Amino acid sequence: MRRILVAGNWKMNASRAQTDTLITGLRNAGELTCDLAVFPPFPYLSQAISVAEGSQISVGAQNCAEADSGAFTGEVSAEMLSDLGASMVIIGHSERRILYGETDGVVLRKTRKALDNGLIAVVCVGETLEERQGGKAEEVVGAQMSLLISELTDADWKNVVIAYEPVWAIGTGETATPEQAQAIHAFIRGLLTERSADLAAATRLLYGGSVKAANAAELFSQQDIDGGLVGGASLDVDEFLGICRA
């Protein structure tokens, strides 16, 4: 049975005070029936880990480098994240792919670094509006999944979560219908099944695209949707908890 995971990607938002308020608010909510994770910006990562210590809240980073160390000004390695106490990392978010040119090869290399350092890799895939309107959603997502499926081992996949995020529904207020989201999640599950039925059954697939408390229950009730990668709504404790309780 795959346990629901609700993950909050804060993106380039928050402050020291907000970090304390957000995580304390989640801690004070009591026991939740889903797994819960937050991904603050790098400057607040250590603080978030400290405030979340001893709770059910996992803390991860929003990105990691392809390299272990060296002359890479501004980069943060997976080894550093692990050393700090992070347990997860988001890789290949659409904003990284679009704004910073991250390719599927880069995503694979970063995923391997994360796994090599004991982190759970939350790997993002998804199509743009133009690609969806052109009937290429499955083609695009399939290509993004291809290297991961062919290159990662079964042992690797135990620590991989896939987040499907239709790029056209991120920060726009638009949301894929539950049926649209389920269709792509089922497609991804099918790709994994071709590799291994057991692997497919165990891998959690998250939906990311303007998830809110109002639509979370309907989205999460779909057969192949195992939670959400939440953006803006994760910066509001009550809204985020509403998603968790859904």
Side-chain angles (χ1 to χ4, degrees):
M1 193 75 178
R2 297 183 301 273
R3 184 173 166 89
I4 291 288
L5 169 62
V6 179
N9 176 16
W10 295 2
K11 305 190 179 183
M12 198 173 71
N13 296 293
S15 63
R16 291 200 311 178
Q18 286 176 302
T19 297
D20 186 74
T21 298
L22 288 167
I23 296 181
T24 299
L26 297 178
R27 288 196 64 137
N28 292 341
E31 192 71 21
L32 298 169
T33 58
C34 63
D35 289 339
L36 177 62
V38 295
F39 296 82
F42 285 130
Y44 309 121
L45 194 53
S46 183
Q47 178 191 356
I49 290 168
S50 178
V51 178
E53 186 175 5
S55 74
Q56 69 180 107
I57 305 166
S58 298
V59 179
Q62 298 175 19
N63 184 34
C64 71
E66 298 176 66
D68 292 322
S69 62
F72 303 101
T73 300
E75 290 292 286
V76 177
S77 71
E79 184 177 9
M80 292 173 180
L81 299 177
S82 182
D83 184 49
L84 198 61
S87 59
M88 310 175 81
V89 60
I90 297 171
I91 296 174
H93 190 279
S94 61
E95 291 158 2
R96 299 295 313 177
R97 292 177 186 264
I98 293 169
L99 298 176
Y100 303 101
E102 293 192 1
T103 64
D104 296 333
V106 169
V107 170
L108 175 64
R109 292 191 291 275
K110 289 188 173 188
T111 300
R112 280 182 158 155
K113 290 300 181 184
L115 298 175
D116 288 347
N117 286 280
L119 301 173
I120 293 172
V122 180
V123 185
C124 301
V125 299
E127 81 285 1
T128 65
L129 179 60
E130 183 180 10
E131 289 163 343
R132 171 163 283 272
Q133 290 177 336
K136 296 182 178 180
E138 290 188 359
E139 178 184 338
V140 170
V141 172
Q144 292 170 338
M145 289 291 300
S146 179
L147 279 178
L148 300 170
I149 290 173
S150 64
E151 299 297 326
L152 298 181
T153 68
D154 287 356
D156 289 335
W157 274 100
K158 293 178 181 179
N159 290 307
V160 174
V161 174
I162 298 296
Y164 166 63
E165 39 162 28
V167 180
W168 47 274
I170 298 174
T172 63
E174 296 291 330
T175 308
T177 66
E179 293 76 19
Q180 287 174 319
Q182 165 59 22
I184 296 294
H185 280 71
F187 170 71
I188 295 171
R189 186 93 58 201
L191 294 176
L192 294 172
T193 300
E194 293 176 8
R195 161 73 181 267
S196 163
D198 290 341
L199 183 154
T203 301
R204 289 192 284 192
L205 308 181
L206 310 185
Y207 172 74
S210 298
V211 179
K212 304 177 180 66
N215 60 28
E218 191 173 11
L219 285 165
F220 296 171
S221 68
Q222 302 299 311
Q223 181 177 348
D224 292 297
I225 299 179
D226 306 314
L229 180 60
V230 183
S234 67
L235 297 169
D236 182 306
V237 170
D238 292 336
E239 182 72 13
F240 193 53
L241 287 173
I243 294 170
C244 293
R245 290 172 177 140

